[in-house]
Amino acid sequence: RFKPTSLRINNDISAEKRQQRVVEKFRDHAGPWDVNIAKELYPRTIRGTFGRDRIRNAVHCTDLPKDGIIEVEYFFKIL
């Protein structure tokens, strides 16, 4: 289980993870999009721990499995 302890502000980290049901599993670690809900109901998630508001919510993860491929190509091939 992911146990965040610290996060630097203004640094970007990109990661590609491959496994079965990776989108659903990572979204569980990220927590709800709304930081206030994450802090209240899921405080041990990435957003519950590091999120500040709806704009600075600490992490981006794809919504749909098929979008994951497009987003990985964007982050690792285009940027």
Side-chain angles (χ1 to χ4, degrees):
R1 179 133 174 111
F2 178 76
K3 295 182 181 181
T5 57
S6 65
L7 180 73
R8 292 182 180 187
I9 305 302
N10 296 327
N11 289 333
D12 296 323
I13 298 171
S14 298
E16 177 182 0
K17 184 165 177 80
R18 296 175 186 217
Q19 71 180 63
Q20 294 294 319
R21 299 184 54 233
V22 68
V23 172
E24 295 88 354
K25 290 177 182 179
F26 185 73
R27 288 180 63 81
D28 287 344
H29 292 298
W33 174 78
D34 187 313
V35 170
N36 294 322
I37 291 173
K39 287 184 179 297
E40 189 68 30
L41 300 178
Y42 305 96
R44 299 181 88 181
T45 61
I46 297 169
R47 289 182 178 132
T49 303
F50 301 112
R52 293 185 175 188
D53 53 41
R54 288 184 175 184
I55 302 298
R56 297 172 295 174
N57 67 10
V59 66
H60 168 75
C61 56
T62 190
D63 292 335
L64 302 168
K66 66 179 182 177
D67 290 347
I69 295 167
I70 296 167
E71 292 184 18
V72 165
E73 287 181 3
Y74 176 75
F75 282 111
F76 293 102
K77 292 183 181 176
I78 296 173
L79 289 181

